[in-house]
Amino acid sequence: MRRRSDAEELQAALRELGGSLAELRRETGLSEEELAQELVSEGHEERGRERVGGQGACAWS
């Protein structure tokens, strides 16, 4: 049995991500743009908590 290449692993991960995003869109009713905005916003909040000692404030706001 051969091990999947990095490219094959990436392709599989992207297919799974695409399915997950499609499911999120169906469940939330958000557009792709709105989902992307939410993900970016959440990422900023996570990084803000790390930088501000867990207070949840975004360092860039």
Side-chain angles (χ1 to χ4, degrees):
M1 190 165 114
R2 82 175 178 92
R3 185 181 176 286
R4 292 191 334 185
S5 71
D6 288 344
E8 289 170 325
E9 292 283 339
L10 178 59
Q11 291 284 332
L14 289 173
R15 279 192 301 274
E16 186 175 332
L17 177 61
S20 296
L21 288 174
E23 184 177 341
L24 262 176
R25 288 186 63 216
R26 280 191 304 273
E27 289 178 5
T28 64
L30 295 174
S31 69
E32 288 180 21
E33 293 80 19
E34 291 167 324
L35 273 177
Q37 204 169 33
E38 288 293 321
L39 290 170
V40 167
S41 175
E42 183 67 26
H44 282 250
E45 289 176 15
E46 288 296 319
R47 286 190 296 275
R49 277 193 283 277
E50 292 168 6
R51 292 180 181 201
V52 183
Q55 299 302 312
C58 181
W60 298 287
S61 295

